[in-house]
Amino acid sequence: AEGRTPAQIHLTGTLVLSVFTAVLGFFQYGYSLGVINAPQKVIEAHYGRVLGIAPLDRQATNASGEDGTVPVPGTEPWGGTEGTLAPPADSGEDPATSPHVLTMYWSLSVSVFAVGGMVSSFTVGWIGDQLGRVKAMLVVNVLSIAGNLLMGLAKFGPSHMLIIAGRAVTGLYCGLSSGLVPMYVSEVSPTALRGALGTLHQLAIVTGILISQVLGLDFLLGNDEMWPLLLGLSGVAALLQFFLLLLCPESPRYLYIKLGKVEEAKKSLKRLRGNCDPMKEIAEMEKEKQEAASEKKVSIRQLFTSSKYRQAVIVALMVQISQQFSGINAIFYYSTNIFERAGVDQPVYATIGVGVVNTVFTVISVFLVEKAGRRSLFLAGLMGMLISAVAMTVGLVLLSQFAWMSYVSMVAIFLFVIFFEVGPGPIPWFIVAELFSQGPRPAAIAIAGFCNWACNFIVGMCFQYIADLCGPYVFVIFAALLLVFFLFAYFKVPETKGKSFEEIAAVFRRKKLPVKTMTELEDLRGSEEA
């Protein structure tokens, strides 16, 4: 009861509104990640009609909205059946109208989102410090609205260019938002609730993915008529976030530590905490401010060159790498195919079922993270994913010999997703903000965000080639990586549950001392207290 009382006192309406408003940025991130997959064939067919290119060996949707096979170039005369876009065999293939150009445009449409995130993530610290957390989120929302408008209006211009431009601009927004949101949420949250509120980032992402999957069904918005609306629909969330941000208080830590506005920081704290006495948190901020003043301004370069931050930076980067290289994207890639082999009549609905499980267990992790702690959940999640990856490999390899192995693979998919959402999914988004004090935090979040986006891009670009090369054994690679991540987390990742930012920073300072010296210091501290 003693542990629950502060949380109950601190959970005010203003805090709930502020956190909900902020994580709408992650909802847009999740929606943008998932929305491009469902209508792929429909959009490729539209690209083909605009450019006069036939999708290679794909089913396309013709101008009347009916499914029709688009032949491979050279197999049908130009201008034959409706929907036939291939040039005649004897005309010679123009490289500008090659199906490979269509593949290139589609790949750009998907991957340019991550490129935008990589580019903008470096400016998170600067814009967050210059404008403040709330004003920065307000300003960058303009990018989201603009990007969604470009995609929503794609049919009124060169659709391929408008979608690529829209995805790039939306990626710029998501790169900034994925740094600003954890920064703001960690700074407005009381210590007792910081982990639980931090997991809402991942909940917003998986909710965005799930909603995009459902809306992408062909009888809803994933069809030839409605796909521009589907792509641009997260602009509604951007508009909602824009207006709600006007009601949110600025981060009291930013006001006190960065701007030195003591009274404004107290007012902000009172709005966020209700009737609680703000002086305890003000005292903590004062200690953090003194620490930041002694640190001077910390650049990205200093994070790597200063021994003071090096261990924390390595941990911050490794948790991001472990999230992206865990194999979760591979699971989503393979899920529909595995469900098809298992005899599921509508595998797309089974894949949506995976999305539902994804969302449900993210909700469960909200309640677990403050009870079990970050480190233990992260370790449990990695080990569970490792076992699931091995089971997945066995199921896929033996699928041709034993039909029932498809069910092993199906169970492994669901378990893999469950363990991901228990720890490796949500924790990297907020633990980076916890590992650093006010001084180095913006630079640390920027470099961690860049690492996450870069890994996202690498997985998106390379996974298909690796899967083609390794087949079902691709999950052996992920199992090996998960083992490495587990061992690293076991030896290097500290527990941040219930600790102040200064206490967490002290953990890394203590790690540099020999065990004997640490014991002597503890004995000395005990004798002084006595």
Side-chain angles (χ1 to χ4, degrees):
E2 185 178 339
R4 289 195 298 270
T5 303
Q8 291 170 348
I9 292 172
H10 289 154
L11 193 60
T12 62
T14 302
L15 177 61
V16 171
L17 173 67
S18 300
V19 173
F20 170 78
T21 301
V23 300
L24 281 173
F26 272 84
F27 172 85
Q28 295 176 64
Y29 173 44
Y31 190 93
S32 298
L33 281 176
V35 74
I36 200 71
N37 296 319
Q40 176 178 351
K41 291 181 181 179
V42 174
I43 297 175
E44 280 187 320
H46 185 80
Y47 282 7
R49 288 195 295 273
V50 171
L51 297 167
I53 302 172
L56 188 59
D57 290 329
R58 289 190 185 275
Q59 293 290 318
T61 304
N62 60 29
S64 65
E66 299 171 351
D67 287 338
T69 303
V70 178
V72 178
T75 60
E76 288 285 337
W78 180 258
T81 60
E82 184 179 4
T84 301
L85 302 171
D90 58 358
S91 67
E93 189 177 278
D94 183 353
T97 59
S98 165
H100 299 294
V101 175
L102 185 61
T103 301
M104 180 196 72
Y105 278 126
W106 177 254
S107 298
L108 274 174
S109 300
V110 175
S111 61
V112 76
F113 174 72
V115 174
M118 287 167 58
V119 171
S120 64
S121 59
F122 269 122
T123 64
V124 167
W126 179 83
I127 195 170
D129 284 347
Q130 291 296 313
L131 300 179
R133 309 333 188 199
V134 172
K135 286 182 181 176
M137 287 189 287
L138 267 170
V139 169
V140 302
N141 236 307
V142 174
L143 291 172
S144 178
I145 295 168
N148 281 284
L149 276 174
L150 285 171
M151 290 185 287
L153 299 173
K155 277 196 172 183
F156 297 95
S159 57
H160 55 299
M161 299 307 296
L162 288 174
I163 290 175
I164 290 169
R167 293 276 293 173
V169 174
T170 306
L172 289 173
Y173 163 76
C174 289
L176 289 163
S177 182
S178 62
L180 291 170
V181 172
M183 194 187 300
Y184 178 72
V185 171
S186 69
E187 291 178 2
V188 301
S189 301
T191 303
L193 290 173
R194 202 170 58 221
L197 295 178
T199 58
L200 296 179
H201 308 324
Q202 185 69 11
L203 178 60
I205 290 175
V206 298
T207 302
I209 292 173
L210 178 60
I211 289 176
S212 71
Q213 287 175 332
V214 173
L215 292 178
L217 293 171
D218 58 359
F219 64 86
L220 292 176
L221 300 180
N223 52 59
D224 192 53
E225 294 297 322
M226 304 300 290
W227 64 261
L229 177 61
L230 175 68
L231 294 186
L233 203 56
S234 70
V236 175
L239 283 171
L240 177 62
Q241 186 187 40
F242 184 89
F243 290 110
L244 288 180
L245 280 169
L246 300 174
L247 305 175
C248 297
E250 182 54 88
S251 160
R253 288 183 177 275
Y254 172 77
L255 292 170
Y256 189 96
I257 298 171
K258 208 71 183 174
L259 302 184
K261 297 181 178 180
V262 180
E263 292 304 316
E264 287 190 30
K266 288 181 180 178
K267 288 179 183 177
S268 180
L269 264 179
K270 286 179 180 177
R271 286 184 63 190
L272 290 163
R273 304 287 184 265
N275 296 324
C276 290
D277 183 5
M279 294 315 297
K280 182 180 178 181
E281 284 192 70
I282 291 291
E284 184 187 322
M285 290 180 206
E286 179 60 32
K287 284 183 64 178
E288 198 175 331
K289 183 178 181 181
Q290 292 173 2
E291 180 73 18
S294 66
E295 292 171 346
K296 298 182 181 179
K297 186 173 181 179
V298 180
S299 65
I300 291 174
R301 182 172 174 271
Q302 288 172 312
L303 284 177
F304 291 96
T305 56
S306 172
S307 58
K308 185 176 183 179
Y309 307 118
R310 193 173 298 129
Q311 289 191 52
V313 168
I314 292 171
V315 170
L317 295 181
M318 280 299 289
V319 295
Q320 302 296 329
I321 293 169
S322 65
Q323 185 195 65
Q324 290 298 322
F325 283 113
S326 65
I328 190 66
N329 293 327
I331 287 293
F332 278 111
Y333 175 81
Y334 262 97
S335 60
T336 301
N337 179 264
I338 294 167
F339 289 138
E340 283 177 351
R341 292 190 182 190
V344 177
D345 291 334
Q346 297 288 340
V348 66
Y349 293 108
T351 301
I352 290 175
V354 174
V356 172
V357 170
N358 207 13
T359 305
V360 169
F361 277 86
T362 305
V363 174
I364 292 173
S365 72
V366 172
F367 299 98
L368 286 176
V369 74
E370 289 299 351
K371 293 184 179 295
R374 284 69 150 150
R375 183 175 182 273
S376 54
L377 283 179
F378 196 71
L379 288 170
L382 289 173
M383 181 52 65
M385 293 173 76
L386 170 57
I387 295 169
S388 300
V390 172
M392 174 72 64
T393 302
V394 172
L396 289 174
V397 169
L398 299 179
L399 195 59
S400 59
Q401 299 177 37
F402 306 100
W404 56 269
M405 276 292 173
S406 61
Y407 297 101
V408 173
S409 300
M410 288 172 63
V411 172
I413 286 177
F414 283 100
L415 288 176
F416 196 96
V417 169
I418 287 169
F419 282 113
F420 177 78
E421 294 307 345
V422 162
I427 289 172
W429 288 117
F430 67 86
I431 198 172
V432 175
E434 292 186 328
L435 292 173
F436 296 89
S437 56
Q438 187 76 17
R441 188 179 298 133
I445 287 178
I447 193 65
F450 175 82
C451 178
N452 191 288
W453 282 100
C455 292
N456 187 327
F457 178 74
I458 291 168
V459 171
M461 289 297 292
C462 299
F463 172 73
Q464 183 61 63
Y465 297 102
I466 296 171
D468 290 344
L469 183 65
C470 301
Y473 292 100
V474 69
F475 291 100
V476 173
I477 298 173
F478 291 119
L481 288 172
L482 285 163
L483 179 60
V484 172
F485 298 146
F486 176 85
L487 292 173
F488 177 87
Y490 183 81
F491 289 108
K492 294 294 185 181
V493 175
E495 180 55 73
T496 59
K497 173 191 171 186
K499 291 185 172 69
S500 68
F501 294 113
E502 176 56 30
E503 288 171 336
I504 294 166
V507 170
F508 290 106
R509 291 200 293 270
R510 290 193 194 107
K511 283 185 177 181
K512 298 175 190 175
L513 297 173
V515 175
K516 183 180 178 182
T517 307
M518 278 298 303
T519 305
E520 291 171 353
L521 285 175
E522 292 295 333
D523 292 341
L524 179 61
R525 189 180 295 113
S527 63
E528 287 176 349
E529 289 174 356

